[in-house]
């Protein structure tokens, strides 16, 4: 365990919990207590999933919540060939997720009032993403991922904002840009980047969307074959 990383990670998460810009944004729901924040990443160099926003019930990292995103990600990873023993609603499932060298952070740090990023207007989307990338940049700097899978339009829009180099990313929606390999240039260098639909709600209920997500995830894992073949006990 990297003690300095643990300290720095806690500072970042406490800053998010106290962020008045987030809490005062009318598009967000500042629940009390705050959503359960990501566990300490422990070590840098993980494969990173970036999702949309936590639900009011607590989110992906809330052990006591039957989080749909965690359930679906676990199911998709299993279908893609990675062994993640344990029911998705148990603490062991999250520990297995970490043991497999994965991590997940949300683009927007508080629940969205309208329930989904795609239901917001253009100005609301732009405002939320422009502020959220301040938090994201600090988190990603500590995680130092070896690859990123952006899940959904909020995550993809954030990647467009975070990209700081000459490797341009296409400014279009997920349905247009998925299925291709990109690189995002961050302060720590170029990182492989892929994109897929957010694996929740209608995206998982529609057979075509679900199939696309599974294909995209399998491709992402295959790009990092060491992870795909790894067994988790």
């Amino acid at each position: 365990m990297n003690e300095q990383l643990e300290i720095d990670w806690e500072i970042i998460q406490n800053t998010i919990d106290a962020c008045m810009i987030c809490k005062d944004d009318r598009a967000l729901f500042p629940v009390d207590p705050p959503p359960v924040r990501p566990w300490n990443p422990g070590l840098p160099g993980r494969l990173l999933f970036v999702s949309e926003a936590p639900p009011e019930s607590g989110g992906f990292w809330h052990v006591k919540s039957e989080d749909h995103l965690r359930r679906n990600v676990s199911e998709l990873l299993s279908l893609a060939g990675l062994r993640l023993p344990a029911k998705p609603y148990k603490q062991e499932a999250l520990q297995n997720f970490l043991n497999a060298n994965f991590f997940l952070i949300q683009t927007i740090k508080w629940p969205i009032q309208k329930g989904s990023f795609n239901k917001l207007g253009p100005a609301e989307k732009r405002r939320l993403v422009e502020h959220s990338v301040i938090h994201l940049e600090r988190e990603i700097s500590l995680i130092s991922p070896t690859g990123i899978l952006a899940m959904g339009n909020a995550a993809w829009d954030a990647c467009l904002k975070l990209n700081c180099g000459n490797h341009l990313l296409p400014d279009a929606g997920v349905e247009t840009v998925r299925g291709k390999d990109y690189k995002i240039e961050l302060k720590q260098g170029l990182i492989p980047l892929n994109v897929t639909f957010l694996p929740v709600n209608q995206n998982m209920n529609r057979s075509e969307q679900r199939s696309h997500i599974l294909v995209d995830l399998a491709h992402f894992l295959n790009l990092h074959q060491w992870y795909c073949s790894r067994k988790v006990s």
Side-chain angles (χ1 to χ4, degrees), residues 199-233:
V200 294
N201 302 332
Q202 64 183 16
N203 290 337
M204 292 296 287
N205 294 328
R206 295 176 178 172
S207 59
E208 183 178 10
Q209 302 280 79
R210 181 185 175 93
S211 177
H212 285 327
I213 294 170
L214 181 57
V215 168
D216 295 339
L217 176 61
H219 177 70
F220 177 68
L221 295 176
N222 285 332
L223 288 176
H224 307 271
Q225 291 182 1
W226 184 84
Y227 300 88
C228 189
S229 62
R230 187 171 183 174
K231 304 299 182 184
V232 184
S233 57

Side-chain angles (χ1 to χ4, degrees), residues 141-173:
S141 177
L142 286 185
I143 298 165
S144 294
T146 56
I148 297 173
L149 180 63
M151 301 191 298
N153 284 309
W156 180 249
D157 286 356
C159 288
L160 294 177
K161 291 289 184 183
L162 287 166
N163 189 42
C164 63
N166 296 321
H167 286 74
L168 298 180
L169 298 174
D171 189 1

